[in-house]
Amino acid sequence: RGGGRASRQSSALRLERAGLSRYVELKTSKRHASPRDEESFQRHKLFKYWLQSFLAGVPTVLVGFRDERGTVHELKSFETSTMHRLVRGAGREPYWEPASCINFGKGVLEWLLASLAANPAAAHYVMRYEPRQSAILL
């Protein structure tokens, strides 16, 4: 466990040296009117917020919860490094895990690089997600 603490400290030091430790990602989201809204927020919005902030190295996300008119009624701060601990379903299983998300992205990029290397003469590529097939196509 001591090793994890040291890596967090060194990560924080790198962020501070890069000037990112003071940055905050600002987001808005509609207020939760039901448990279903809360589940959707955790499953989808927090995932997007985490991914964007993680990749950019921004340590904190501040979310303003707004009504239909756009008026913010509540502010809530989320730490990027611990956000994934909040996303648990009724069975206490996580909706998403950071390592799985990063590994999926790594796999997509490796596939993309291999595909590009196999056909280097093409002028341009279009990559798209096909939800009905659950596939990424090039």
Side-chain angles (χ1 to χ4, degrees), residues 38 42 46 76 78 82-88 95:
E38 175 68 25
Q42 289 183 8
L46 274 184
K76 191 166 183 183
F78 298 92
T82 59
M83 199 179 290
H84 66 282
R85 295 181 191 151
L86 305 173
V87 293
R88 304 272 179 213
Y95 293 128

Side-chain angles (χ1 to χ4, degrees), residues 35-76:
R36 185 175 180 178
D37 289 346
E38 175 68 25
E39 178 184 350
S40 178
F41 175 77
Q42 289 183 8
R43 187 180 293 255
H44 305 288
K45 291 275 189 156
L46 274 184
F47 170 69
K48 291 177 185 179
Y49 297 169
W50 168 80
L51 185 59
Q52 182 178 7
S53 297
F54 175 80
L55 292 174
V58 176
T60 306
V61 178
L62 183 63
V63 180
F65 292 95
R66 58 174 168 70
D67 61 20
E68 300 78 32
R69 300 162 109 188
T71 303
V72 173
H73 293 273
E74 179 186 1
L75 293 175
K76 191 166 183 183

Side-chain angles (χ1 to χ4, degrees), residues 97-110:
E97 289 280 356
S100 297
C101 299
I102 296 301
N103 287 335
F104 175 79
K106 180 180 182 264
V108 169
L109 292 174
E110 288 171 345

